[in-house]
Amino acid sequence: MNKFLKKYRVLLIILLIIAALTPVAYYAAERLNFGETWGEWSAEEVKMITGKTSTGMKDLEGMQKIAPLPDYSIPGHSIYGGAAWYFLSAVAGALILILVFLAAGRIIGKGANSEKG
Amino acid sequence: MHIPDGYLGPKTFIPLWTASIALWILSFKKIRKKAGTEALALTGIFAAFSFVVQMFNIPLPGGTTAHIIGAGATAIVLGPYLSYIAISVVLVLQAILFADGGITAIGANAFNMGFLFAFISWGIFSLFKNLSERWKIIGAFLAGYAGICASAIATAIELGIQPILETSDAGNPLYSPFPLKIAIPAMMVPHILVIGIIEGIFTVLVVKYFKKNFPELLK
C-alpha cells in the first residue's frame, strides 16, 4: 500500500489541492446566488415554478432526509461554516472512496498482475 | 445532472434500477476475472477525483449550474467496467451521505452518468487508439465531450417522459412536470456549449498525464 501511495503521490497531491479549492466553489455559489440546478428543485420550488403540486414528487422526496449532510453541509450555518463543511465533505468523500477501492483491491484484485477492468 | 428522489416515477426508476443491478453484476464479474489489485486501488483515486470535481458547480446561462464527471478519463485509463463501477460507488455515496441524487434514482443516475458515459467515451477513444499522438488527443477530447453529452440527453429524456408516463386521475403530472421540449434544451444547452468542452479538456489532461508518467496503463 505504501508503494502504491508513493507511486501515485502526485495524483493524491493534486486531489488534495482540488479538495482545498472546494470552499471557494461553495463561497462563489452562495455569494453569487447561483440558485438550484435545473431539475433538482424541491417539490415546493417546483410548485412555485409550475403552479401545481406534483403529488408523487412530494411523497418520494422525503427519502433524501436520511442523508446526514444534505448538499455537503449542515443546514442553517453561516456561509463560512458552510464552506468548511463543504471542504470536510470533499475530504471525507475522497477518503472513503480511496479506502473502499483499496479494500476491494485487497479482496478481489489479482495481485501484481495489474490488468484493467 | 443528479436526478433527485421524486422526479422519476416507478415506471422509470424500477426498470433503471433493474438494468443497473444487472450491469453491476456483469461488471463485477469482468473485474473479478482480471482486474489487478493496483488497478482497483487506482480506481479509488479516480473515484475520489470524480467526487471532488463534481463539487465544482459552474454557473450557466439560464440560471442553472452543472459540473464535469470524469467517467471518460477513468474509462480510457482503467477500462469501462471499472469506470462504471467507480461512478456508481460515487453516486451511492452522494445519495446516502449528501442527498445529491435520489435513492430511488440511483439506478437511473448510475446508468446515465456511469454506464453510458464510460462506455461511450471508451468506445470513441478506441477508434483513435492506433492513430497518431495528435489524433489520440483529439479522440480523448471527443470521448469526454460526447460521453457527458450522452449522460445529459439520457437524463433529459428520462425526466421529459414523466408527464407522459405518470399522471394523476385529473391528468396532472405526478413526478417531474417538465415535458421533453423543456427538459432537453434545459439539459443539453449547458452541456453542449460549456460542460462538454471542460469535460473534454479534463479528459485530455488526464490522458496526457498518464501517457507521460504511466504509459503502460494506456496500452
Side-chain angles (χ1 to χ4, degrees):
Chain A
M1 191 173 128
N2 265 340
K3 217 177 105 195
F4 171 80
L5 295 178
K6 215 169 177 178
K7 183 171 171 186
Y8 295 109
R9 69 178 184 283
V10 175
L11 281 179
L12 293 166
I13 291 166
I14 296 170
L15 182 62
L16 201 62
I17 292 169
I18 299 176
L21 292 173
T22 54
V24 180
Y26 177 89
Y27 188 84
E30 293 286 305
R31 266 283 177 266
L32 303 175
N33 198 11
F34 293 173
E36 186 56 276
T37 306
W38 190 91
E40 296 185 16
W41 305 285
S42 67
E44 203 52 47
E45 289 166 312
V46 168
K47 194 186 163 192
M48 279 174 11
I49 298 166
T50 65
K52 283 181 190 158
T53 304
S54 292
T55 50
M57 179 181 280
K58 228 181 158 100
D59 293 340
L60 279 182
E61 74 172 1
M63 302 263 315
Q64 273 169 325
K65 292 219 171 74
I66 65 158
L69 292 167
D71 292 327
Y72 307 91
S73 205
I74 283 180
H77 46 62
S78 70
I79 189 164
Y80 296 105
W85 277 109
Y86 206 69
F87 171 69
L88 290 175
S89 297
V91 172
L95 206 59
I96 292 169
L97 289 162
I98 288 172
L99 292 175
V100 163
F101 281 95
L102 271 176
R106 282 281 171 89
I107 299 162
I108 65 162
K110 290 279 173 285
N113 168 23
S114 211
E115 278 263 4
K116 303 187 272 178
Chain B
M1 205 186 290
H2 295 68
I3 302 175
D5 282 318
Y7 276 74
L8 301 179
K11 284 181 197 161
T12 313
F13 74 67
I14 292 172
L16 286 167
W17 252 109
T18 313
S20 286
I21 290 169
L23 292 166
W24 287 329
I25 293 170
L26 172 79
S27 303
F28 185 78
K29 281 185 176 161
K30 292 266 180 195
I31 290 163
R32 174 145 211 180
K33 219 168 172 179
K34 58 176 206 168
T37 307
E38 189 177 319
L40 274 159
L42 186 56
T43 306
I45 296 184
F46 272 90
F49 262 94
S50 173
F51 175 78
V52 174
V53 296
Q54 287 184 44
M55 294 177 74
F56 287 81
N57 285 303
I58 299 157
L60 294 160
T64 188
T65 74
H67 54 73
I68 63 167
I69 299 170
T74 313
I76 292 169
V77 176
L78 289 162
Y81 296 99
L82 280 175
S83 174
Y84 170 47
I85 293 296
I87 302 299
S88 299
V89 175
V90 169
L91 287 164
V92 169
L93 188 80
Q94 288 171 329
I96 292 175
L97 286 186
F98 304 110
D100 195 6
I103 290 166
T104 54
I106 285 174
N109 287 327
F111 182 80
N112 303 337
M113 296 164 72
F115 181 75
L116 286 179
F117 194 157
F119 278 83
I120 284 172
S121 286
W122 175 77
I124 288 175
F125 187 74
S126 32
L127 300 174
F128 292 81
K129 223 175 163 181
N130 298 317
L131 302 177
S132 68
E133 286 310 306
R134 178 171 298 186
W135 278 108
K136 265 187 229 172
I137 295 305
I138 293 170
F141 178 86
L142 290 176
Y145 184 87
I148 200 157
C149 287
S151 303
I153 190 104
T155 306
I157 291 170
E158 288 154 20
L159 291 171
I161 59 175
Q162 297 312 308
I164 307 168
L165 284 183
E166 312 254 17
T167 49
S168 66
D169 295 336
N172 291 324
L174 283 170
Y175 302 98
S176 185
F178 309 103
L180 284 165
K181 67 172 195 282
I182 293 177
I184 290 181
M187 287 302 297
M188 294 319 292
V189 172
H191 288 91
I192 287 173
L193 294 183
V194 184
I195 301 298
I197 293 166
I198 303 173
E199 183 80 58
I201 294 168
F202 176 80
T203 312
V204 168
L205 292 176
V206 173
V207 169
K208 274 191 159 178
Y209 176 82
F210 273 82
K211 189 133 216 77
K212 187 165 174 236
N213 296 285
F214 308 103
E216 69 280 3
L217 278 164
L218 286 171
K219 288 223 172 79

